[in-house]
Amino acid sequence: MIDLFSGLDAWVLVSLLLALTFVLAFEFINGFHDTANAVATVIYTKAMPPHLAVFFSGVFNFLGVLLGGVGVAYAIVHLLPVELLINVNTGHGLAMVFSLLAAAITWNLGTWYFGIPASSSHTLIGSILGVGLANALISDIPLGDGVNWQKAIDIGMSLVLSPMAGFAVAALVLLGLKWWRPLSKMHKTPEQRRKLDDKKHPPFWNRLVLVISAMGVSFVHGSNDGQKGIGLIMLVLIGIVPSAFVLDLNSTTYQIERTRDATLHLNQFYQRNEATLGEFLALGKAKEGDLPEQFSCNPQQTEPTINALLDSLKGVADYRSLTPEKRIEVRRYLLCLDDTAKKVGKLPGLQAREKADLDKLRKDLTATTEYAPFWVILAVALALGLGTMVGWKRVVLTIGEKIGKQGMTYAQGMSAQITAACAIGMANIFSLPVSTTHVLSSGVAGTMVANKSGLQGGTVRTILLAWVLTLPATVGLSAALFWLATKAIG
């Protein structure tokens, strides 16, 4: 790892270390900000002592990051338009990263201080959108092109629908438990259990389910939220040290061959569907040497881009054999081809099997650009895991006692946690970022309604207000910071 940073100017090295510190600080804060939700139920119901719950939650968060892959990481990265991602100017990269991280950290710390279960996912996404929109204004490009709006809509839908699903499914699970075992002790609150049964802990099987589901929530939280930190670090590394990170320098000869083969097959795919795609891609009309501009992509320049990429990869068995400038060029070609393929996949007229083939080709195309070194994954896992072990008390009280008018029963805790673990796990499968905070707290609210416990209007209003305000607040803050940073360096 160290050799990747050798030869850097002192100011670049200092900026890089500072940027990495900012990202890891964000993940550390995320640990005690969001993961408190994962242990809130198991601590409140006294299924586990706080110190053990927090420790094991930190361990499972760590494992979740290590084993979670990078699908969600690059879903976050691709909120930015491809034009901004291929602009790997060091000063520009620094401004982008510091602006979005400063905005995200400020909002996270503020909401944590007041014990509000706000979402780190919303915070980060709002900060990225703010940078994209500010970059569009500064660069005199249409606001519609400043953000990858299709990806933003997909992520927005997952963030909106997941709490609603959490509310409904947790309520249904609780109703199922009440129908199955109406007289069970699992329908008591910890306070009732202590007064009526003189017992401090839940019944054995309820306790076991509470512990397992809490660790499940911690694991899927790590694999979802941890990937956001991985995506941020990759933005930092590609923006500040592009020559070492624009391509996976550890790619094997086979992986490079796969990339080359995917490019060839993509060309054959377009030729095969020329009747449908010929006009959109200007097939057969490109002029000699006609290539995309340095910081833009154009579907009508797809053929020359394919030819240039194949020429660049001819005889290449190791990316290290390419000059730094050539690596940046290869990544630009790959990102542009992937961006065009994504647009082609949404065009009418293509058969379903052809769209499925195109999706597979896209995965092969980006296999050596959408990656993360192991040390990045390990660093984020440690930051998130350690962050989990501090600062959890404020949010635990909100989740356990301040959402409903009555305390939470063991059955409610199980229903909310099982629902949250399944919902976030499903989101991981489809590479969609979701909010652990909102899925779990909405699940608790759903069980309160199903249990006819009622909701505390003040707490619910506070959570909803944070949910509504997070995006505009972080968009505005990160946009302002990015504007000031670009003025300062430019």
Side-chain angles (χ1 to χ4, degrees), residues 250-269:
N250 292 319
S251 298
T252 63
T253 303
Y254 170 73
Q255 288 172 314
I256 297 172
E257 287 287 347
R258 250 179 90 189
T259 302
R260 188 186 295 112
D261 289 344
T263 309
L264 282 168
H265 288 304
L266 183 67
N267 191 42
Q268 292 168 4
F269 175 91

PDB file of all heavy atoms in Angstrom, residues 250-269:
ATOM      1  N   ASN A 250      -4.152  -4.460  -9.349  1.00  0.00           N
ATOM      2  CA  ASN A 250      -3.970  -5.875  -9.013  1.00  0.00           C
ATOM      3  C   ASN A 250      -4.790  -6.800  -9.907  1.00  0.00           C
ATOM      4  O   ASN A 250      -4.851  -8.015  -9.661  1.00  0.00           O
ATOM      5  CB  ASN A 250      -4.351  -6.117  -7.546  1.00  0.00           C
ATOM      6  CG  ASN A 250      -3.372  -5.461  -6.586  1.00  0.00           C
ATOM      7  OD1 ASN A 250      -2.166  -5.497  -6.800  1.00  0.00           O
ATOM      8  ND2 ASN A 250      -3.895  -4.827  -5.548  1.00  0.00           N
ATOM      9  N   SER A 251      -5.421  -6.226 -10.929  1.00  0.00           N
ATOM     10  CA  SER A 251      -6.198  -7.048 -11.865  1.00  0.00           C
ATOM     11  C   SER A 251      -5.300  -8.091 -12.513  1.00  0.00           C
ATOM     12  O   SER A 251      -4.177  -7.797 -12.927  1.00  0.00           O
ATOM     13  CB  SER A 251      -6.819  -6.177 -12.956  1.00  0.00           C
ATOM     14  OG  SER A 251      -7.717  -5.242 -12.408  1.00  0.00           O
ATOM     15  N   THR A 252      -5.812  -9.311 -12.621  1.00  0.00           N
ATOM     16  CA  THR A 252      -5.048 -10.379 -13.262  1.00  0.00           C
ATOM     17  C   THR A 252      -5.149 -10.246 -14.783  1.00  0.00           C
ATOM     18  O   THR A 252      -5.999  -9.504 -15.306  1.00  0.00           O
ATOM     19  CB  THR A 252      -5.592 -11.752 -12.850  1.00  0.00           C
ATOM     20  OG1 THR A 252      -6.951 -11.870 -13.320  1.00  0.00           O
ATOM     21  CG2 THR A 252      -5.564 -11.917 -11.334  1.00  0.00           C
ATOM     22  N   THR A 253      -4.298 -10.969 -15.476  1.00  0.00           N
ATOM     23  CA  THR A 253      -4.351 -10.971 -16.938  1.00  0.00           C
ATOM     24  C   THR A 253      -5.725 -11.439 -17.419  1.00  0.00           C
ATOM     25  O   THR A 253      -6.280 -10.896 -18.379  1.00  0.00           O
ATOM     26  CB  THR A 253      -3.249 -11.893 -17.511  1.00  0.00           C
ATOM     27  OG1 THR A 253      -1.974 -11.458 -17.021  1.00  0.00           O
ATOM     28  CG2 THR A 253      -3.242 -11.851 -19.033  1.00  0.00           C
ATOM     29  N   TYR A 254      -6.278 -12.427 -16.713  1.00  0.00           N
ATOM     30  CA  TYR A 254      -7.607 -12.933 -17.083  1.00  0.00           C
ATOM     31  C   TYR A 254      -8.668 -11.838 -16.961  1.00  0.00           C
ATOM     32  O   TYR A 254      -9.537 -11.701 -17.823  1.00  0.00           O
ATOM     33  CB  TYR A 254      -7.977 -14.120 -16.185  1.00  0.00           C
ATOM     34  CG  TYR A 254      -9.416 -14.554 -16.331  1.00  0.00           C
ATOM     35  CD1 TYR A 254      -9.854 -15.237 -17.464  1.00  0.00           C
ATOM     36  CD2 TYR A 254     -10.345 -14.266 -15.326  1.00  0.00           C
ATOM     37  CE1 TYR A 254     -11.178 -15.621 -17.600  1.00  0.00           C
ATOM     38  CE2 TYR A 254     -11.670 -14.650 -15.450  1.00  0.00           C
ATOM     39  CZ  TYR A 254     -12.076 -15.323 -16.589  1.00  0.00           C
ATOM     40  OH  TYR A 254     -13.387 -15.698 -16.720  1.00  0.00           O
ATOM     41  N   GLN A 255      -8.599 -11.032 -15.882  1.00  0.00           N
ATOM     42  CA  GLN A 255      -9.585  -9.958 -15.696  1.00  0.00           C
ATOM     43  C   GLN A 255      -9.460  -8.895 -16.777  1.00  0.00           C
ATOM     44  O   GLN A 255     -10.467  -8.350 -17.250  1.00  0.00           O
ATOM     45  CB  GLN A 255      -9.406  -9.337 -14.305  1.00  0.00           C
ATOM     46  CG  GLN A 255      -9.864 -10.239 -13.180  1.00  0.00           C
ATOM     47  CD  GLN A 255      -9.501  -9.688 -11.813  1.00  0.00           C
ATOM     48  OE1 GLN A 255      -8.366  -9.242 -11.584  1.00  0.00           O
ATOM     49  NE2 GLN A 255     -10.458  -9.704 -10.891  1.00  0.00           N
ATOM     50  N   ILE A 256      -8.224  -8.599 -17.176  1.00  0.00           N
ATOM     51  CA  ILE A 256      -8.028  -7.620 -18.248  1.00  0.00           C
ATOM     52  C   ILE A 256      -8.548  -8.183 -19.570  1.00  0.00           C
ATOM     53  O   ILE A 256      -9.175  -7.474 -20.370  1.00  0.00           O
ATOM     54  CB  ILE A 256      -6.536  -7.237 -18.348  1.00  0.00           C
ATOM     55  CG1 ILE A 256      -6.090  -6.547 -17.047  1.00  0.00           C
ATOM     56  CG2 ILE A 256      -6.291  -6.313 -19.552  1.00  0.00           C
ATOM     57  CD1 ILE A 256      -4.605  -6.301 -16.951  1.00  0.00           C
ATOM     58  N   GLU A 257      -8.301  -9.470 -19.798  1.00  0.00           N
ATOM     59  CA  GLU A 257      -8.827 -10.133 -21.001  1.00  0.00           C
ATOM     60  C   GLU A 257     -10.361 -10.098 -21.014  1.00  0.00           C
ATOM     61  O   GLU A 257     -10.982  -9.908 -22.051  1.00  0.00           O
ATOM     62  CB  GLU A 257      -8.339 -11.586 -21.057  1.00  0.00           C
ATOM     63  CG  GLU A 257      -6.876 -11.746 -21.405  1.00  0.00           C
ATOM     64  CD  GLU A 257      -6.587 -11.456 -22.874  1.00  0.00           C
ATOM     65  OE1 GLU A 257      -7.544 -11.366 -23.665  1.00  0.00           O
ATOM     66  OE2 GLU A 257      -5.400 -11.292 -23.218  1.00  0.00           O
ATOM     67  N   ARG A 258     -10.959 -10.286 -19.826  1.00  0.00           N
ATOM     68  CA  ARG A 258     -12.418 -10.226 -19.719  1.00  0.00           C
ATOM     69  C   ARG A 258     -12.941  -8.844 -20.085  1.00  0.00           C
ATOM     70  O   ARG A 258     -13.969  -8.698 -20.746  1.00  0.00           O
ATOM     71  CB  ARG A 258     -12.845 -10.554 -18.280  1.00  0.00           C
ATOM     72  CG  ARG A 258     -13.552 -11.888 -18.146  1.00  0.00           C
ATOM     73  CD  ARG A 258     -13.916 -12.152 -16.714  1.00  0.00           C
ATOM     74  NE  ARG A 258     -15.238 -11.643 -16.389  1.00  0.00           N
ATOM     75  CZ  ARG A 258     -15.731 -11.600 -15.159  1.00  0.00           C
ATOM     76  NH1 ARG A 258     -14.998 -12.010 -14.153  1.00  0.00           N
ATOM     77  NH2 ARG A 258     -16.934 -11.158 -14.951  1.00  0.00           N
ATOM     78  N   THR A 259     -12.227  -7.820 -19.672  1.00  0.00           N
ATOM     79  CA  THR A 259     -12.608  -6.449 -20.013  1.00  0.00           C
ATOM     80  C   THR A 259     -12.526  -6.237 -21.519  1.00  0.00           C
ATOM     81  O   THR A 259     -13.428  -5.640 -22.133  1.00  0.00           O
ATOM     82  CB  THR A 259     -11.688  -5.440 -19.292  1.00  0.00           C
ATOM     83  OG1 THR A 259     -11.774  -5.655 -17.882  1.00  0.00           O
ATOM     84  CG2 THR A 259     -12.069  -4.012 -19.615  1.00  0.00           C
ATOM     85  N   ARG A 260     -11.436  -6.739 -22.122  1.00  0.00           N
ATOM     86  CA  ARG A 260     -11.269  -6.616 -23.567  1.00  0.00           C
ATOM     87  C   ARG A 260     -12.366  -7.400 -24.306  1.00  0.00           C
ATOM     88  O   ARG A 260     -12.963  -6.898 -25.267  1.00  0.00           O
ATOM     89  CB  ARG A 260      -9.885  -7.127 -23.972  1.00  0.00           C
ATOM     90  CG  ARG A 260      -9.533  -6.859 -25.442  1.00  0.00           C
ATOM     91  CD  ARG A 260      -8.223  -7.509 -25.844  1.00  0.00           C
ATOM     92  NE  ARG A 260      -7.084  -6.951 -25.136  1.00  0.00           N
ATOM     93  CZ  ARG A 260      -6.361  -7.599 -24.233  1.00  0.00           C
ATOM     94  NH1 ARG A 260      -6.664  -8.847 -23.914  1.00  0.00           N
ATOM     95  NH2 ARG A 260      -5.339  -7.030 -23.659  1.00  0.00           N
ATOM     96  N   ASP A 261     -12.639  -8.605 -23.838  1.00  0.00           N
ATOM     97  CA  ASP A 261     -13.690  -9.418 -24.470  1.00  0.00           C
ATOM     98  C   ASP A 261     -15.055  -8.752 -24.351  1.00  0.00           C
ATOM     99  O   ASP A 261     -15.860  -8.786 -25.286  1.00  0.00           O
ATOM    100  CB  ASP A 261     -13.742 -10.813 -23.834  1.00  0.00           C
ATOM    101  CG  ASP A 261     -12.541 -11.668 -24.206  1.00  0.00           C
ATOM    102  OD1 ASP A 261     -11.843 -11.313 -25.178  1.00  0.00           O
ATOM    103  OD2 ASP A 261     -12.297 -12.682 -23.523  1.00  0.00           O
ATOM    104  N   ALA A 262     -15.334  -8.152 -23.184  1.00  0.00           N
ATOM    105  CA  ALA A 262     -16.615  -7.462 -22.994  1.00  0.00           C
ATOM    106  C   ALA A 262     -16.754  -6.301 -23.972  1.00  0.00           C
ATOM    107  O   ALA A 262     -17.843  -6.041 -24.503  1.00  0.00           O
ATOM    108  CB  ALA A 262     -16.722  -6.958 -21.555  1.00  0.00           C
ATOM    109  N   THR A 263     -15.644  -5.625 -24.243  1.00  0.00           N
ATOM    110  CA  THR A 263     -15.663  -4.517 -25.204  1.00  0.00           C
ATOM    111  C   THR A 263     -15.979  -5.025 -26.610  1.00  0.00           C
ATOM    112  O   THR A 263     -16.784  -4.430 -27.344  1.00  0.00           O
ATOM    113  CB  THR A 263     -14.305  -3.788 -25.189  1.00  0.00           C
ATOM    114  OG1 THR A 263     -13.954  -3.448 -23.851  1.00  0.00           O
ATOM    115  CG2 THR A 263     -14.365  -2.515 -26.023  1.00  0.00           C
ATOM    116  N   LEU A 264     -15.340  -6.133 -26.974  1.00  0.00           N
ATOM    117  CA  LEU A 264     -15.608  -6.737 -28.291  1.00  0.00           C
ATOM    118  C   LEU A 264     -17.069  -7.180 -28.411  1.00  0.00           C
ATOM    119  O   LEU A 264     -17.738  -6.918 -29.420  1.00  0.00           O
ATOM    120  CB  LEU A 264     -14.687  -7.944 -28.509  1.00  0.00           C
ATOM    121  CG  LEU A 264     -13.236  -7.652 -28.900  1.00  0.00           C
ATOM    122  CD1 LEU A 264     -12.390  -8.916 -28.782  1.00  0.00           C
ATOM    123  CD2 LEU A 264     -13.166  -7.096 -30.315  1.00  0.00           C
ATOM    124  N   HIS A 265     -17.565  -7.834 -27.368  1.00  0.00           N
ATOM    125  CA  HIS A 265     -18.951  -8.316 -27.387  1.00  0.00           C
ATOM    126  C   HIS A 265     -19.942  -7.155 -27.381  1.00  0.00           C
ATOM    127  O   HIS A 265     -21.022  -7.259 -27.975  1.00  0.00           O
ATOM    128  CB  HIS A 265     -19.210  -9.240 -26.196  1.00  0.00           C
ATOM    129  CG  HIS A 265     -18.538 -10.569 -26.320  1.00  0.00           C
ATOM    130  ND1 HIS A 265     -18.726 -11.412 -27.398  1.00  0.00           N
ATOM    131  CD2 HIS A 265     -17.665 -11.222 -25.497  1.00  0.00           C
ATOM    132  CE1 HIS A 265     -18.019 -12.511 -27.246  1.00  0.00           C
ATOM    133  NE2 HIS A 265     -17.356 -12.414 -26.086  1.00  0.00           N
ATOM    134  N   LEU A 266     -19.561  -6.062 -26.727  1.00  0.00           N
ATOM    135  CA  LEU A 266     -20.431  -4.879 -26.726  1.00  0.00           C
ATOM    136  C   LEU A 266     -20.559  -4.323 -28.138  1.00  0.00           C
ATOM    137  O   LEU A 266     -21.661  -3.949 -28.583  1.00  0.00           O
ATOM    138  CB  LEU A 266     -19.860  -3.809 -25.782  1.00  0.00           C
ATOM    139  CG  LEU A 266     -20.705  -2.541 -25.618  1.00  0.00           C
ATOM    140  CD1 LEU A 266     -22.024  -2.863 -24.903  1.00  0.00           C
ATOM    141  CD2 LEU A 266     -19.932  -1.485 -24.829  1.00  0.00           C
ATOM    142  N   ASN A 267     -19.438  -4.293 -28.856  1.00  0.00           N
ATOM    143  CA  ASN A 267     -19.466  -3.823 -30.243  1.00  0.00           C
ATOM    144  C   ASN A 267     -20.355  -4.731 -31.105  1.00  0.00           C
ATOM    145  O   ASN A 267     -21.161  -4.257 -31.909  1.00  0.00           O
ATOM    146  CB  ASN A 267     -18.037  -3.792 -30.798  1.00  0.00           C
ATOM    147  CG  ASN A 267     -17.963  -3.078 -32.135  1.00  0.00           C
ATOM    148  OD1 ASN A 267     -18.589  -2.041 -32.323  1.00  0.00           O
ATOM    149  ND2 ASN A 267     -17.208  -3.638 -33.073  1.00  0.00           N
ATOM    150  N   GLN A 268     -20.219  -6.047 -30.888  1.00  0.00           N
ATOM    151  CA  GLN A 268     -21.057  -6.993 -31.635  1.00  0.00           C
ATOM    152  C   GLN A 268     -22.537  -6.825 -31.272  1.00  0.00           C
ATOM    153  O   GLN A 268     -23.420  -6.930 -32.132  1.00  0.00           O
ATOM    154  CB  GLN A 268     -20.604  -8.430 -31.323  1.00  0.00           C
ATOM    155  CG  GLN A 268     -19.217  -8.768 -31.867  1.00  0.00           C
ATOM    156  CD  GLN A 268     -18.679 -10.069 -31.302  1.00  0.00           C
ATOM    157  OE1 GLN A 268     -19.361 -10.771 -30.547  1.00  0.00           O
ATOM    158  NE2 GLN A 268     -17.429 -10.398 -31.644  1.00  0.00           N
ATOM    159  N   PHE A 269     -22.801  -6.530 -30.010  1.00  0.00           N
ATOM    160  CA  PHE A 269     -24.180  -6.313 -29.554  1.00  0.00           C
ATOM    161  C   PHE A 269     -24.800  -5.123 -30.299  1.00  0.00           C
ATOM    162  O   PHE A 269     -25.941  -5.191 -30.769  1.00  0.00           O
ATOM    163  CB  PHE A 269     -24.193  -6.062 -28.045  1.00  0.00           C
ATOM    164  CG  PHE A 269     -25.539  -5.714 -27.476  1.00  0.00           C
ATOM    165  CD1 PHE A 269     -26.385  -6.708 -27.005  1.00  0.00           C
ATOM    166  CD2 PHE A 269     -25.968  -4.399 -27.422  1.00  0.00           C
ATOM    167  CE1 PHE A 269     -27.636  -6.391 -26.476  1.00  0.00           C
ATOM    168  CE2 PHE A 269     -27.213  -4.068 -26.899  1.00  0.00           C
ATOM    169  CZ  PHE A 269     -28.046  -5.071 -26.428  1.00  0.00           C
TER     170      PHE A 269
END
